[in-house]
Amino acid sequence: EQEKGLLEVFAYHNQKVEAQLGGDFAKATHSKYTTAMKLVAEFIQHQYKAADVPLSSVNHAFLTNLEFWFKTIRK
């Protein structure tokens, strides 16, 4: 079985949130999750030149690089 990608799991999460709009989640919350996913996808494309990364690659270094990217390149 192929390992799931970070964005694949993120998209699944966002679908579940969307299904619960008006109940457990507000539209603004879904919008924020959608924006977060787009920004993480942008980072992955910038950093790894890839459409997604395996979940196993999400470690301290990945998160540190993401934070650095947000603070410097993405501002």
Side-chain angles (χ1 to χ4, degrees), residues 1 9 12 16 18 23 29 31 34 36 38 40-41 45-46 55 63 71 73 75:
E1 184 177 328
V9 173
Y12 177 78
K16 294 295 184 182
E18 185 175 24
T29 301
S31 178
T34 300
K38 287 178 185 176
V40 171
Q45 180 60 45
H46 171 82
L55 277 177
L63 296 174
K71 291 180 175 180
I73 297 165
K75 297 182 184 177

Side-chain angles (χ1 to χ4, degrees), residues 1-2 4 6 15 24 35-37 41 43 50-52 56 59-60 65 71 73:
E1 184 177 328
Q2 184 176 348
K4 295 195 181 306
L6 174 60
Q15 289 171 354
D24 289 343
T35 299
M37 183 178 152
F43 165 73
D52 203 351
S56 62
N59 55 23
H60 184 264
N65 289 333
K71 291 180 175 180
I73 297 165

Side-chain angles (χ1 to χ4, degrees), residues 11-53:
Y12 177 78
H13 169 267
N14 287 356
Q15 289 171 354
K16 294 295 184 182
V17 170
E18 185 175 24
Q20 298 177 66
L21 288 178
D24 289 343
F25 293 99
K27 188 170 178 78
T29 301
H30 179 261
S31 178
K32 289 175 185 177
Y33 280 132
T34 300
T35 299
M37 183 178 152
K38 287 178 185 176
L39 291 172
V40 171
E42 190 177 320
F43 165 73
I44 290 170
Q45 180 60 45
H46 171 82
Q47 186 76 17
Y48 301 98
K49 308 294 187 253
D52 203 351
V53 294

